[in-house]
Amino acid sequence: MDTMTAVILAAGMGTRMKSDIPKVLHKVNGVPMIEQVIRIVKEAGCTSCITIIGHKGELVREAMGDRTAYAEQTEQLGTGHAVMQAAPLLEGNDGYVLVICGDTPLLRSETIRKLIGECREKKAAAAVLTAVMDDPFGYGRVIRDEEGHMLRIVEQKDGTPEELAVKEINTGTYCFEVKALLAALPKLDCNNAQGEYYLTDVFGLMIREGRFVVPVTAEDAEETMGVNSRIQLAAADRVLRRRKAEVLMAEGVSIIDPDRVYIGEDVTVGRDTVLYPGVILEGKTIVGAGCRIGPDTELENVVCGDDNHLNRVYAHDCTLGSHNELGPFVHLRPGTVMHDHIKVGNFVEVKNSDIGNGTKLPHLIYCGDADVGEKVNFGCGTVTVNFDGKKKYRTVVEDHAFIGCNTNLVAPVHIGKRAFTAAGSTITKDVPEEALSVARAKQKNIEHWVKDDTYKD
Ligand code: UD1
Ligand code: CA
């Protein structure tokens, strides 16, 4: 396909959202609706986008950057008026243009491809994507003659009871021959119930002038749903999440309750991995094969190898090898690299550390800015003291070292191979390999401390 522009309508107030942010920036499955629409149109073959911004348009511009060009609609006088703002950018284009709403994030790229294809093949002035809905309330209705030829589109607020009984609706997605669109736009008026320039009036105009307009009916009405309220936003979110879950299940991933996992579009999961309820996988997360993830586990930009068991883990921007057991209640912070066969238990936080094969961090540990070798054991309550209030320092623990319970490792500090630290030690100096370091007050027992009755009941 040669070049093809998409005009995305996103200037509306989104009044029904009752929000301080523009409607199209509300997220569906973790992605702003407008971004989802840009993705879809690009997948469908559009080579450039013009987004019509208006109400709080600066926020849309900030969020989308140069993924799209922009045209401003300073007053929201209707969808026809919105498209007029893109007219100067379309002038001289003798091809086709896709017009789509920024609030229809469920459309599939194949559906849009089909719409564009029909318009081109039939050399039509326009093609309209329609859908048949059980409850068409709120949408524009597609009015046809007795032979089924399309006549015009009538908006909810302007329709006669007879017209409103029609269940075929306008999805708000169109393909136009640019010249035909530019010729029709100046002919629009706002003599209607809402006093707006309706884009939908161009079809009646074109048809009356003998131009061919082709209605293309979407097979799945659900994907054409527009989001106008928070209730519809939640419904759209659920559809997108369900789609992603179904793609993964088809590829061999088990999902215990598909309605209770949240998996971002770009996430991949290997076969035979089982996802329990409450799993959130976001960003560029990659999960390998044969893992058991969840319940209640959130991974963002995490690379997780094979055969890992993660129970109630919150991890972001880190890498896990394979055969690791984490949880419950583990927090892995950015820069953490865990190799293989590692055990991390309850209430452990690891930050910007490299943890070697077979190492154990079983309970109540803070491990920050540390390079930990293989088969090291961290006793319960071990803390790397990495921060002096100004700078952060690293702790190095060599292979097979044994860190006693409640050890403070005051960085920078180096613990040699097979060295031991005694429980309760505060280690401030390096410990040579195979040494035992005791750094705590010696125990002193004071006999007969309880002399009188004071301490006896
Ligand atoms: C519109 C259609 C209706 C269709 C429905 C599909 C018109 C007149 N009606 O109605 O036939 O069934 O979409 O979802 O086109 N916008 C602007 N500037 C404006 C007004 C709107 O950019 O001045 C944008 C909005 O941000 C939104 C889109 O256009 O993304 C649609 O506007 P909305 O008010 O939601 O139209 P509907 O009433 O849903
Ligand atoms: Ca709408």
Side-chain angles (χ1 to χ4, degrees), residues 16 23 101 103-104 226-228:
R16 290 164 279 179
K23 175 165 78 176
C101 296
D103 65 354
T104 48
V227 172
N228 298 306

Side-chain angles (χ1 to χ4, degrees), residues 364-377:
L364 302 160
I365 288 161
Y366 172 63
C367 177
D369 302 305
D371 298 300
V372 181
E374 299 189 354
K375 298 205 169 155
V376 169
N377 190 87

Side-chain angles (χ1 to χ4, degrees), residues 196-208:
E196 287 182 358
Y197 294 95
Y198 290 163
L199 179 60
T200 43
D201 283 348
V202 301
F203 303 105
L205 278 165
M206 286 173 172
I207 292 164
R208 282 201 297 279

Side-chain angles (χ1 to χ4, degrees), residues 2 7-8 34 46 77 129 160 204 266 275 280 298 324 326 347 361 386 407 425 452:
D2 37 342
V7 174
I8 305 174
I34 180 80
C46 293
L77 304 178
L129 185 68
T160 62
D266 299 330
L275 304 180
I280 304 174
E298 181 173 351
N324 297 301
L326 276 68
F347 306 104
L361 289 82
N386 59 330
T407 296
S425 291
D452 49 40

